[in-house]
Structures are given as structure tokens and as C-alpha cells.
Amino acid sequence: MCQTRVLSVPSAKAPFEKTTIERRALRPHDVLIDIQFSGICHSDIHSAFDEWGGGIFPMVPGHEIAGIVSAVGTEVTKFAVGDRVGVGCFVDSCGECEYCLKGEEQYCTKGFVATYNALDYDGNPTYGGYSQKIVVTERFVVRIPDSLELNVASPLLCAGITTYSPLKHWNAGPGKKVAIVGMGGLGHLAIQYAHALGAEVTVLSRSIDKKEEALSFGADHYFATSDPATFKTLASQFDLILNTVSANLDVDAYLSLLRIDGTLVNVGAPAEPDKYQVFSLIMGRRSIAGSLVGGIRETQEMLDFSAEHGIAPKIEVIRADQVDEAYQRVLRSDVRYRFVIDVSTL
Ligand code: NAP
Ligand code: ZN
């Protein structure tokens, strides 16, 4: 067992406290990671505020983890002390079901073990990356390419894979018109991936404020959704719309922007149900879909792709005592575009 300092919330919406927890003793396939940076995902806020229900408190959020291996179990083969590594949204899965065998552990039929706010297969609560150390079985650890700084790499472990995976799955690429809705942590990476994959990329953001930056990330077009003319101008244009918004949208309005056979893929995860008219689908053989992060193999592919294409989040590094304020700023969309905690300040 080893002690580690963490940032923890004792109950829903309570302020963060600096406390200490114990990480398990290394099992044969475990690695001990000295965490250096931990990104703040909007899912951390949904969870720490218990907006999705079922929150396990005290909670240590954080699933965008970047650090250095500091010890390895006796049977570890993938990693050695000193390796630069990352951990994302889950830390275990059955390893035997159809989806685990395909490398899509996020859809494990037994249910994956989330990095925090979950119980592991032994029934112990999991605690995430707002922490100085974490113990993770090697199967759920990925390698961070040398050309990516650890602070910039950390948001890729959730925001990166959550946008890369559906863009690949729904074939964003040359000849495809793709819209990215919402330009926050996920959205600003989605623009970069869709552009690198060769699609024609349109950003749909509430205001015109982020236009110049969207174009610098590789967007071809940018429209403000606060302007009703946008929905007329762009009617029936897109093959794929990736919705990264943390709140409910007027789904019918976005469906009207799809071509025949187009798909609206939701990665944004609002707490309340969406409403839409079935006719918005029927009249254009359109689909509504969702996508959950991505598997471990694809996460490694995404990191390597990011390094190769120079894709990186724009980050603001903060101290541990700034996390409460950072949450409020994310809720006000006052973040350009991801907060990353410097864990050495814990
Ligand atoms: P974020 O940084 O807060 O970005 C969300 C963006 O949505 C904002 O920047 C804003 O973009 C837009 N937005 C926010 N409130 C809105 C409102 N009331 N109406 C319209 N647009 C609004 O959040 P994030 O970290 O990117 O996460 C986004 C969502 O994805 C969250 O719900 C999170 O839980 C979810 N998520 C899902 C997965 C998955 O596996 N499916 C993984 C990670 C995160 P504009 O200002 O540009 O309009
Ligand atoms: Zn996340």
C-alpha cells in the first residue's frame, strides 16, 4: 500500500479538500504512476455535482492522467520505471467478452471499471487523477509519445479519444462535411481531428467569439447558433454532426442540418433527456447515435496520431487550490480550452 495526497469532494457540490488516501499494493501486473498533470473534464463536474446520480463520496475525480512510471509489479512487461504514460476513463474490464477482445473495453459486457466514482471488481471505490499517485493494471496504461509534453497530453486521455473515436467510426474524411457543435474541451480537439482526417469542418458555437481560434484549429467554416439564419443557411448540409455540448439542445434544429442518411452523434452528456420529433429522422433517413470514449488500442492510436499531426489541446495549467474556481469557469464556458491541474501543487 502507499499513501497519496488527493483532492477530494466529501459530498455533491462541496468544495474540494486536500486529503490523503491509500493506493493498493502492487499486484503482479500493476504499475505505480507518479501523476504530473490531470485535466479537468466537464464529466468531472457532472460527477462531483452528482448531476448524473449514483455518485460515490468522498470522490476524487480525474480521468485525464499523465505521469511517469515509478514502480512496476513482478509480471509487468509493457512498461518500465521512468516511462511517460497516461490513463484515461477506465482502469479495468473483464478482458474476455466480445468487446474486450475487439479492444473496445468501454463496452465490456461485465461493465468496465471507471477510473473514479466506481467500484472495482473487488468492491473497492476507485479514486481518480486529482492525486499524486495511482496504481493501474498495465492493460489500461498507454504510452505518451516523446514529442507530447505531459501537460498537453493529459486532456487527450479523455477529450482526445472521445472525439477521435466517433470521427473515425463514422468515417470523417475526404469528401465528408462534418459539423462540430460546441467549442469547449472536446470540441476544440474534435475540430483538429476532423481536419487532420481530411473532412470539411464547420464549427457551430453559440456566439461568434471563437471564430478566429476555430479557423486556427483547422475549421473551414464557423457559424454562431445564436443567429437563426445559421439553421437556414446550413439546412441539409452535413454527413455527420458531432455534438460535444454539455447541455440539452434543440435536437430537431440540428437534425435539420443533416443530409439524407446523415448522423447526429452525441458525446456531450447532459443530465436531462433530449426531446425530438421522430419525423426529423424519418423524413431524411437520419440517425441519432452516441459514443463513449474509446478503447485502449484506439487511445494509443489517437496519441500517436496526435503526435504525428501536431494536434494538441490549448490548455491553462492551474494549481490544486484553483480547482473550485476552474469548475465555475468551465460552467460559464470561460475556459480556453482545457484546465490542467499541476499535481505537484497538491
Ligand atoms: P466544456 O469544455 O464545458 O465544453 C462544452 C461546450 O458546450 C461549451 O464550450 C459550449 O460551447 C457548449 N455549451 C455549454 N453550455 C451550453 C448550453 N447551455 N447551450 C449550448 N451550448 C452550450 O465540456 P467538455 O469537457 O468538452 O465536455 C462536453 C460534454 O461531453 C460533457 O457533457 C461531458 O460530460 C461529455 N463527455 C462525454 C464523453 C463520452 O465518452 N461520451 C467523454 C467526455 C466528456 P460554445 O461556447 O462553443 O457554444
Ligand atoms: Zn472526460
Side-chain angles (χ1 to χ4, degrees):
M1 302 255 253
C2 81
Q3 300 256 317
T4 181
R5 294 184 61 72
V6 299
L7 270 184
S8 137
V9 270
S11 59
K13 294 194 174 173
F16 277 94
E17 293 174 354
K18 289 185 184 178
T19 56
T20 299
I21 59 161
E22 286 201 329
R23 296 294 190 185
R24 69 172 182 249
L26 289 192
R27 297 170 181 163
H29 284 286
D30 280 347
V31 299
L32 175 65
I33 300 166
D34 280 347
I35 300 175
Q36 313 232 324
F37 295 98
S38 193
I40 294 180
C41 176
H42 204 119
S43 300
D44 298 346
I45 304 178
H46 290 305
S47 304
F49 286 15
D50 208 14
E51 291 172 358
W52 291 331
I56 301 171
F57 294 92
M59 185 187 297
V60 179
H63 57 209
E64 294 186 337
I65 297 170
I68 307 278
V69 174
S70 59
V72 295
T74 52
E75 288 173 38
V76 167
T77 55
K78 261 176 81 181
F79 299 101
V81 171
D83 284 354
R84 303 163 83 249
V85 294
V87 176
C89 295
F90 43 92
V91 289
D92 210 355
S93 73
C94 83
E96 293 169 353
C97 73
E98 174 186 355
Y99 302 101
C100 284
L101 292 176
K102 273 205 299 196
E104 295 185 330
E105 300 89 350
Q106 73 275 33
Y107 304 121
C108 171
T109 52
K110 182 174 174 181
F112 66 83
V113 176
T115 305
Y116 69 86
N117 193 24
L119 297 178
D120 68 17
Y121 291 154
D122 293 336
N124 300 310
T126 55
Y127 298 110
Y130 300 4
S131 162
Q132 292 195 324
K133 294 173 192 296
I134 193 168
V135 174
V136 181
T137 188
E138 63 176 330
R139 197 157 62 87
F140 294 87
V141 179
V142 289
R143 196 171 290 284
I144 295 178
D146 288 340
S147 63
L148 291 175
E149 297 290 334
L150 290 181
N151 55 10
V152 165
S154 70
L156 299 177
L157 277 304
C158 174
I161 185 61
T162 300
T163 51
Y164 178 83
S165 181
L167 289 167
K168 289 285 300 258
H169 185 80
W170 275 277
N171 301 315
K176 294 288 177 67
K177 290 189 175 186
V178 174
I180 308 298
V181 187
M183 191 171 149
L186 268 57
H188 90 295
L189 282 165
I191 300 167
Q192 299 181 54
Y193 289 122
H195 173 70
L197 290 166
E200 183 177 333
V201 184
T202 300
V203 174
L204 301 173
S205 178
R206 282 168 298 178
S207 72
I208 208 74
D209 297 354
K210 302 175 191 167
K211 181 171 180 180
E212 289 313 313
E213 271 185 310
L215 299 181
S216 77
F217 292 139
D220 299 287
H221 317 282
Y222 182 105
F223 290 84
T225 53
S226 54
D227 180 357
T230 291
F231 290 88
K232 292 202 179 89
T233 310
L234 298 177
S236 308
Q237 289 272 316
F238 299 108
D239 300 288
L240 176 65
I241 300 176
L242 186 65
N243 172 20
T244 73
V245 173
S246 49
N248 297 97
L249 292 178
D250 178 350
V251 178
D252 292 306
Y254 287 89
L255 288 172
S256 76
L257 306 185
L258 289 172
R259 292 160 51 86
I260 308 304
D261 287 327
T263 305
L264 168 64
V265 178
N266 294 292
V267 288
E272 298 302 322
D274 270 338
K275 283 196 186 127
Y276 60 90
Q277 295 288 341
V278 173
F279 277 99
S280 300
L281 301 175
I282 291 175
M283 301 308 285
R285 198 164 58 193
R286 298 174 175 121
S287 305
I288 290 187
S291 181
L292 178 66
V293 286
I296 296 299
R297 191 161 56 225
E298 194 173 40
T299 301
Q300 187 65 61
E301 176 188 312
M302 172 278 306
L303 286 169
D304 297 342
F305 183 90
S306 303
E308 189 184 327
H309 292 267
I311 292 173
K314 188 173 174 191
I315 61 169
E316 187 175 332
V317 176
I318 60 166
R319 296 186 312 272
D321 61 8
Q322 294 175 298
V323 172
D324 290 310
E325 181 197 339
Y327 273 27
Q328 293 307 319
R329 286 184 55 195
V330 173
L331 291 171
R332 293 197 301 271
S333 297
D334 175 23
V335 48
R336 297 289 186 278
Y337 285 91
R338 201 58 147 184
F339 289 116
V340 172
I341 306 166
D342 175 351
V343 167
S344 70
T345 62
L346 231 169

